[in-house]
Amino acid sequence: MKFRERLRVYELLLQDRMREFACPVHLCLGQEDVPEALHDLLRPEDWLYSTHRSHGHYIAKGGDPEQLLAEIEGREDGINGGFSGSQSFSDPALRFHSTAIVGGLSGAAAGTAVALKMQRSNALVICCLGDGATEQGVFWESLNWAVLHALPLVWVCENNGYSVHAPLSERQGTPLLSRVGSFRATVARGAEGLRTILRGRTAPAFGEVPCERRCNHVSAMEDLR
């Protein structure tokens, strides 16, 4: 079974059990393109910063699905002892971190990239985010810093067209890639564009991957869209 198929089966199993979980759970059903690319092209030494919708990213980095399930269930054998839940868990051994704060890890990713450059490391920092996170000032400040200092940092935007229930057309008036490109970062669109960036280890760069979220925004809450 291919990675994206295994990921989809896992997320569907979580969806079936959604009402059992005490913590908020954001599934990545319909957003398998980015995790698949990360799974295929990231190296063990690379760092991966993720979002509240992080299951696919974590498993792509080599994370244990059973340990993730234990974390979601609040068990002691979870990734962070059951204290972090689905949204904000970290696995330092895998160089993986996620957060529930929208856009919150852009600054941390930039700082990590500075450290790697100072160490003359060949590792990349990948910072995943949604389209809503590009409306946060920290993203643009970090982008500016990364370009000015030629940092080994790649942003990966999973653009599902919604920030919770607010459509992109009501929130942003100009194309995202044109705005990012004006900072003179390398930009690419689509899953193949992202793969080209990752294969070439191109940085600083920004890949926008359009996708369609095929599940509720969070847990069993009914969507308004």
Side-chain angles (χ1 to χ4, degrees):
M1 188 182 295
K2 295 181 179 180
F3 174 81
R4 68 185 298 121
E5 294 167 348
R6 288 188 281 116
L7 174 59
R8 185 166 181 78
V9 168
Y10 181 80
E11 293 288 85
L12 285 170
L13 290 172
L14 291 183
Q15 188 177 56
D16 287 342
R17 297 186 54 193
M18 196 66 79
R19 296 187 183 278
E20 301 175 24
F21 304 136
C23 70
V25 178
H26 299 76
L27 301 177
C28 63
L29 289 166
Q31 300 187 190
E32 293 87 2
D33 282 347
V34 166
E36 183 179 49
L38 298 176
H39 170 267
D40 292 348
L41 296 168
L42 287 194
R43 300 176 183 176
E45 66 267 24
D46 294 336
W47 291 72
L48 179 54
Y49 288 94
S50 185
T51 68
H52 54 278
R53 202 174 301 281
S54 59
H55 302 166
H57 305 154
Y58 173 68
I59 296 171
K61 195 66 170 68
D64 183 352
E66 290 300 321
Q67 201 173 13
L68 173 56
L69 175 59
E71 184 63 34
I72 294 171
E73 292 178 329
R75 290 164 23 203
E76 291 184 358
D77 56 338
I79 302 162
N80 298 140
F83 286 100
S84 298
S86 172
Q87 297 186 98
S88 300
F89 62 91
S90 295
D91 192 335
L94 290 178
R95 303 182 179 186
F96 176 91
H97 301 277
S98 65
T99 183
I101 301 173
V102 175
L105 288 178
S106 280
T112 302
V114 170
L116 292 177
K117 185 171 183 178
M118 292 175 67
Q119 296 165 2
R120 299 184 179 180
S121 170
N122 291 321
L124 272 182
V125 180
I126 309 298
C127 185
C128 294
L129 72 172
D131 49 284
T134 65
E135 296 159 16
Q136 303 297 319
V138 65
F139 164 70
W140 297 101
E141 294 286 356
S142 301
L143 174 64
N144 188 48
W145 184 258
V147 173
L148 286 174
H149 297 278
L151 300 182
L153 175 54
V154 177
W155 279 274
V156 180
C157 178
E158 293 176 289
N159 188 346
N160 62 26
Y162 285 88
S163 179
V164 188
H165 307 304
L168 186 66
S169 60
E170 295 180 5
R171 299 169 8 242
Q172 299 185 19
T174 57
L176 178 57
L177 280 189
S178 65
R179 283 178 280 137
V180 174
S182 71
F183 282 72
R184 299 186 179 179
T186 298
V187 297
R189 182 174 172 82
E192 284 307 311
L194 172 62
R195 286 175 173 273
T196 298
I197 287 174
L198 296 178
R199 285 193 197 98
R201 312 286 287 179
T202 305
F206 182 95
E208 180 188 17
V209 181
C211 53
E212 180 184 0
R213 173 167 52 83
R214 296 175 182 169
C215 53
N216 291 339
H217 167 68
V218 58
S219 299
M221 181 179 72
E222 185 177 351
D223 267 4
L224 301 179
R225 63 185 177 92

